[in-house]
Amino acid sequence: MTFTSDALAGRVALITGGGSGIGFGIAKAMAAAGAKLVLASRNAERLDAAVKELTGLGAEVIAVQADVRNYEAVEHAVARAVEAFGSLDIVIANAAGNFVVPAAEMSPNAWKTVIDIDLNGTYFCARASHAALKASSFGGRFIAISTTRALEGWPGCAHAGAAKAGIMSLIRTLCGEWGKDGIRCNTIAPGAIGDTEGVKRIYEDAGRKELELSSIPLGEFGRTADIANAAVFLCSDAGSYVTGADIVVDGGRNRSRSSTGVAVPAK
Ligand code: NAP
Ligand code: COA
């Protein structure tokens, strides 16, 4: 147990992409800290499996099938949270899509697809949840998951890098606009998180694992639990004076890169 079991007691959290990877890690940690959960994503089977596992751990959780590219679907997920649990206090805009393709070979629709999921989907979540978060008796929390690659350039992932940079700008704007409504808006920037499909695909399957590890001062990939711990902190009373921040959780990787974004080997 990293946080007390009542650190998020009484709060209701909507987590997009909460059925897998980092989103599922956040769901587990938030449930252990006493939050009620709404998981939203496209794949009903994946959602059902996640609900089953979380329920088995004692969580109060529902799932809503929703594609974050569809504003009405996002609105519906927010409405279901309030209907099922009486409030919505926390939104984690975590859903994302990404694949490696050089910018010069990327189809216009490939670009649009990732921008739609990551950037537009995050805005849709914010827009649809504003009124509910403003009404939160705890002070609403809106967290978007970005990446340390957002501002350094991301060869092979121009679409995701641009979308995540847009998300960082959006969150800073929301911090300025929504502070008066008591809503804290932050990004969490994970480095390479080892227990996720993405890192398996982008680094391990591509034979880049050792190279990537050599650029991380702490010498190991992160875990979904590391990102979840940052999220629980931001959403608890302990995080109540933090807004407009980008919490980097990356084992120091972004500090060991040159100004061109190319990894500077640690040894
Ligand atoms: P993941 O397991 O592939 O999770 C992505 C989730 O997003 C899935 O649960 C997926 O569920 C959902 N999703 C995708 N498209 C969606 C859509 N259109 N509408 C609704 N839900 C959608 O990936 P992850 O590695 O945990 O990544 C989670 C977040 O961390 C992302 O924002 C990612 O960019 C960020 N991140 C990850 C790493 C890393 O090392 N893994 C590093 C930096 C940042 P469905 O298929 O059911 O829709
Ligand atoms: N390389 C190049 N282009 C690709 C691609 C790849 N690996 N994967 C998809 N595309 C292109 C498609 O060809 C299509 O473009 P086109 O119409 O010009 O052919 C476009 O991207 C959309 O693909 P599609 O499969 O129709 O999109 P989708 O909405 O069904 O799925 C994705 C969205 C592509 C992002 C899919 O990978 C996904 O669902 N990802 C979620 C999980 C994930 O990415 N996790 C990592 C989180 S960071």
PDB file of all heavy atoms in Angstrom, residues 17-38:
ATOM      1  N   GLY A  17      -9.414   4.942 -21.390  1.00  0.00           N
ATOM      2  CA  GLY A  17      -8.372   3.937 -21.602  1.00  0.00           C
ATOM      3  C   GLY A  17      -8.023   3.236 -20.297  1.00  0.00           C
ATOM      4  O   GLY A  17      -6.909   2.737 -20.130  1.00  0.00           O
ATOM      5  N   GLY A  18      -8.983   3.174 -19.383  1.00  0.00           N
ATOM      6  CA  GLY A  18      -8.714   2.611 -18.052  1.00  0.00           C
ATOM      7  C   GLY A  18      -8.674   1.088 -18.016  1.00  0.00           C
ATOM      8  O   GLY A  18      -8.439   0.502 -16.958  1.00  0.00           O
ATOM      9  N   GLY A  19      -8.872   0.442 -19.162  1.00  0.00           N
ATOM     10  CA  GLY A  19      -8.895  -1.021 -19.185  1.00  0.00           C
ATOM     11  C   GLY A  19      -7.555  -1.665 -19.453  1.00  0.00           C
ATOM     12  O   GLY A  19      -7.431  -2.895 -19.426  1.00  0.00           O
ATOM     13  N   SER A  20      -6.521  -0.854 -19.711  1.00  0.00           N
ATOM     14  CA  SER A  20      -5.220  -1.465 -20.014  1.00  0.00           C
ATOM     15  C   SER A  20      -4.082  -0.540 -19.602  1.00  0.00           C
ATOM     16  O   SER A  20      -4.287   0.655 -19.346  1.00  0.00           O
ATOM     17  CB  SER A  20      -5.099  -1.775 -21.515  1.00  0.00           C
ATOM     18  OG  SER A  20      -5.044  -0.574 -22.267  1.00  0.00           O
ATOM     19  N   GLY A  21      -2.901  -1.088 -19.556  1.00  0.00           N
ATOM     20  CA  GLY A  21      -1.663  -0.323 -19.388  1.00  0.00           C
ATOM     21  C   GLY A  21      -1.697   0.675 -18.238  1.00  0.00           C
ATOM     22  O   GLY A  21      -2.089   0.358 -17.108  1.00  0.00           O
ATOM     23  N   ILE A  22      -1.255   1.880 -18.552  1.00  0.00           N
ATOM     24  CA  ILE A  22      -1.147   2.928 -17.527  1.00  0.00           C
ATOM     25  C   ILE A  22      -2.525   3.270 -16.953  1.00  0.00           C
ATOM     26  O   ILE A  22      -2.672   3.467 -15.735  1.00  0.00           O
ATOM     27  CB  ILE A  22      -0.465   4.172 -18.139  1.00  0.00           C
ATOM     28  CG1 ILE A  22       1.033   3.875 -18.362  1.00  0.00           C
ATOM     29  CG2 ILE A  22      -0.656   5.395 -17.248  1.00  0.00           C
ATOM     30  CD1 ILE A  22       1.784   4.944 -19.139  1.00  0.00           C
ATOM     31  N   GLY A  23      -3.547   3.326 -17.804  1.00  0.00           N
ATOM     32  CA  GLY A  23      -4.896   3.654 -17.321  1.00  0.00           C
ATOM     33  C   GLY A  23      -5.383   2.632 -16.310  1.00  0.00           C
ATOM     34  O   GLY A  23      -5.975   2.987 -15.279  1.00  0.00           O
ATOM     35  N   PHE A  24      -5.111   1.364 -16.566  1.00  0.00           N
ATOM     36  CA  PHE A  24      -5.524   0.307 -15.628  1.00  0.00           C
ATOM     37  C   PHE A  24      -4.717   0.411 -14.333  1.00  0.00           C
ATOM     38  O   PHE A  24      -5.247   0.211 -13.232  1.00  0.00           O
ATOM     39  CB  PHE A  24      -5.370  -1.070 -16.276  1.00  0.00           C
ATOM     40  CG  PHE A  24      -5.918  -2.178 -15.429  1.00  0.00           C
ATOM     41  CD1 PHE A  24      -7.263  -2.211 -15.080  1.00  0.00           C
ATOM     42  CD2 PHE A  24      -5.085  -3.183 -14.960  1.00  0.00           C
ATOM     43  CE1 PHE A  24      -7.771  -3.234 -14.276  1.00  0.00           C
ATOM     44  CE2 PHE A  24      -5.580  -4.213 -14.166  1.00  0.00           C
ATOM     45  CZ  PHE A  24      -6.927  -4.231 -13.819  1.00  0.00           C
ATOM     46  N   GLY A  25      -3.443   0.749 -14.457  1.00  0.00           N
ATOM     47  CA  GLY A  25      -2.608   0.948 -13.263  1.00  0.00           C
ATOM     48  C   GLY A  25      -3.163   2.070 -12.400  1.00  0.00           C
ATOM     49  O   GLY A  25      -3.223   1.971 -11.174  1.00  0.00           O
ATOM     50  N   ILE A  26      -3.577   3.162 -13.055  1.00  0.00           N
ATOM     51  CA  ILE A  26      -4.169   4.283 -12.312  1.00  0.00           C
ATOM     52  C   ILE A  26      -5.478   3.829 -11.659  1.00  0.00           C
ATOM     53  O   ILE A  26      -5.767   4.165 -10.505  1.00  0.00           O
ATOM     54  CB  ILE A  26      -4.394   5.495 -13.243  1.00  0.00           C
ATOM     55  CG1 ILE A  26      -3.043   6.065 -13.705  1.00  0.00           C
ATOM     56  CG2 ILE A  26      -5.222   6.579 -12.550  1.00  0.00           C
ATOM     57  CD1 ILE A  26      -3.140   7.166 -14.761  1.00  0.00           C
ATOM     58  N   ALA A  27      -6.266   3.062 -12.389  1.00  0.00           N
ATOM     59  CA  ALA A  27      -7.540   2.577 -11.841  1.00  0.00           C
ATOM     60  C   ALA A  27      -7.306   1.751 -10.573  1.00  0.00           C
ATOM     61  O   ALA A  27      -7.970   1.942  -9.552  1.00  0.00           O
ATOM     62  CB  ALA A  27      -8.280   1.750 -12.894  1.00  0.00           C
ATOM     63  N   LYS A  28      -6.336   0.844 -10.625  1.00  0.00           N
ATOM     64  CA  LYS A  28      -6.060  -0.006  -9.453  1.00  0.00           C
ATOM     65  C   LYS A  28      -5.626   0.844  -8.256  1.00  0.00           C
ATOM     66  O   LYS A  28      -6.088   0.651  -7.134  1.00  0.00           O
ATOM     67  CB  LYS A  28      -4.941  -1.009  -9.784  1.00  0.00           C
ATOM     68  CG  LYS A  28      -5.477  -2.265 -10.449  1.00  0.00           C
ATOM     69  CD  LYS A  28      -4.485  -3.416 -10.372  1.00  0.00           C
ATOM     70  CE  LYS A  28      -3.305  -3.181 -11.280  1.00  0.00           C
ATOM     71  NZ  LYS A  28      -2.488  -4.334 -11.541  1.00  0.00           N
ATOM     72  N   ALA A  29      -4.739   1.809  -8.523  1.00  0.00           N
ATOM     73  CA  ALA A  29      -4.230   2.628  -7.413  1.00  0.00           C
ATOM     74  C   ALA A  29      -5.331   3.521  -6.850  1.00  0.00           C
ATOM     75  O   ALA A  29      -5.407   3.720  -5.631  1.00  0.00           O
ATOM     76  CB  ALA A  29      -3.060   3.480  -7.898  1.00  0.00           C
ATOM     77  N   MET A  30      -6.180   4.056  -7.728  1.00  0.00           N
ATOM     78  CA  MET A  30      -7.248   4.934  -7.237  1.00  0.00           C
ATOM     79  C   MET A  30      -8.291   4.133  -6.452  1.00  0.00           C
ATOM     80  O   MET A  30      -8.823   4.615  -5.448  1.00  0.00           O
ATOM     81  CB  MET A  30      -7.885   5.690  -8.395  1.00  0.00           C
ATOM     82  CG  MET A  30      -6.925   6.720  -8.962  1.00  0.00           C
ATOM     83  SD  MET A  30      -7.754   8.038  -9.839  1.00  0.00           S
ATOM     84  CE  MET A  30      -6.413   9.239  -9.898  1.00  0.00           C
ATOM     85  N   ALA A  31      -8.572   2.921  -6.904  1.00  0.00           N
ATOM     86  CA  ALA A  31      -9.512   2.076  -6.160  1.00  0.00           C
ATOM     87  C   ALA A  31      -8.930   1.754  -4.782  1.00  0.00           C
ATOM     88  O   ALA A  31      -9.633   1.812  -3.771  1.00  0.00           O
ATOM     89  CB  ALA A  31      -9.790   0.796  -6.940  1.00  0.00           C
ATOM     90  N   ALA A  32      -7.630   1.456  -4.736  1.00  0.00           N
ATOM     91  CA  ALA A  32      -7.001   1.135  -3.446  1.00  0.00           C
ATOM     92  C   ALA A  32      -7.016   2.340  -2.507  1.00  0.00           C
ATOM     93  O   ALA A  32      -6.959   2.185  -1.284  1.00  0.00           O
ATOM     94  CB  ALA A  32      -5.560   0.672  -3.674  1.00  0.00           C
ATOM     95  N   ALA A  33      -7.111   3.547  -3.095  1.00  0.00           N
ATOM     96  CA  ALA A  33      -7.153   4.768  -2.274  1.00  0.00           C
ATOM     97  C   ALA A  33      -8.594   5.207  -2.010  1.00  0.00           C
ATOM     98  O   ALA A  33      -8.819   6.308  -1.511  1.00  0.00           O
ATOM     99  CB  ALA A  33      -6.367   5.887  -2.966  1.00  0.00           C
ATOM    100  N   GLY A  34      -9.561   4.368  -2.382  1.00  0.00           N
ATOM    101  CA  GLY A  34     -10.944   4.625  -1.975  1.00  0.00           C
ATOM    102  C   GLY A  34     -11.837   5.292  -3.002  1.00  0.00           C
ATOM    103  O   GLY A  34     -12.995   5.596  -2.703  1.00  0.00           O
ATOM    104  N   ALA A  35     -11.343   5.517  -4.239  1.00  0.00           N
ATOM    105  CA  ALA A  35     -12.187   6.172  -5.250  1.00  0.00           C
ATOM    106  C   ALA A  35     -13.130   5.175  -5.910  1.00  0.00           C
ATOM    107  O   ALA A  35     -12.836   3.977  -5.988  1.00  0.00           O
ATOM    108  CB  ALA A  35     -11.304   6.823  -6.321  1.00  0.00           C
ATOM    109  N   LYS A  36     -14.269   5.698  -6.389  1.00  0.00           N
ATOM    110  CA  LYS A  36     -15.164   4.908  -7.241  1.00  0.00           C
ATOM    111  C   LYS A  36     -14.774   5.222  -8.680  1.00  0.00           C
ATOM    112  O   LYS A  36     -14.397   6.355  -8.991  1.00  0.00           O
ATOM    113  CB  LYS A  36     -16.615   5.294  -6.974  1.00  0.00           C
ATOM    114  CG  LYS A  36     -17.048   4.922  -5.578  1.00  0.00           C
ATOM    115  CD  LYS A  36     -18.390   5.520  -5.242  1.00  0.00           C
ATOM    116  CE  LYS A  36     -18.683   5.271  -3.769  1.00  0.00           C
ATOM    117  NZ  LYS A  36     -19.744   6.108  -3.253  1.00  0.00           N
ATOM    118  N   LEU A  37     -14.927   4.223  -9.551  1.00  0.00           N
ATOM    119  CA  LEU A  37     -14.321   4.353 -10.879  1.00  0.00           C
ATOM    120  C   LEU A  37     -15.310   4.173 -12.021  1.00  0.00           C
ATOM    121  O   LEU A  37     -16.216   3.336 -11.946  1.00  0.00           O
ATOM    122  CB  LEU A  37     -13.234   3.288 -11.058  1.00  0.00           C
ATOM    123  CG  LEU A  37     -12.117   3.243 -10.023  1.00  0.00           C
ATOM    124  CD1 LEU A  37     -11.229   2.043 -10.286  1.00  0.00           C
ATOM    125  CD2 LEU A  37     -11.306   4.532 -10.072  1.00  0.00           C
ATOM    126  N   VAL A  38     -15.062   4.948 -13.091  1.00  0.00           N
ATOM    127  CA  VAL A  38     -15.739   4.747 -14.368  1.00  0.00           C
ATOM    128  C   VAL A  38     -14.635   4.584 -15.414  1.00  0.00           C
ATOM    129  O   VAL A  38     -13.813   5.486 -15.597  1.00  0.00           O
ATOM    130  CB  VAL A  38     -16.625   5.961 -14.727  1.00  0.00           C
ATOM    131  CG1 VAL A  38     -17.338   5.707 -16.051  1.00  0.00           C
ATOM    132  CG2 VAL A  38     -17.619   6.248 -13.614  1.00  0.00           C
TER     133      VAL A  38
END
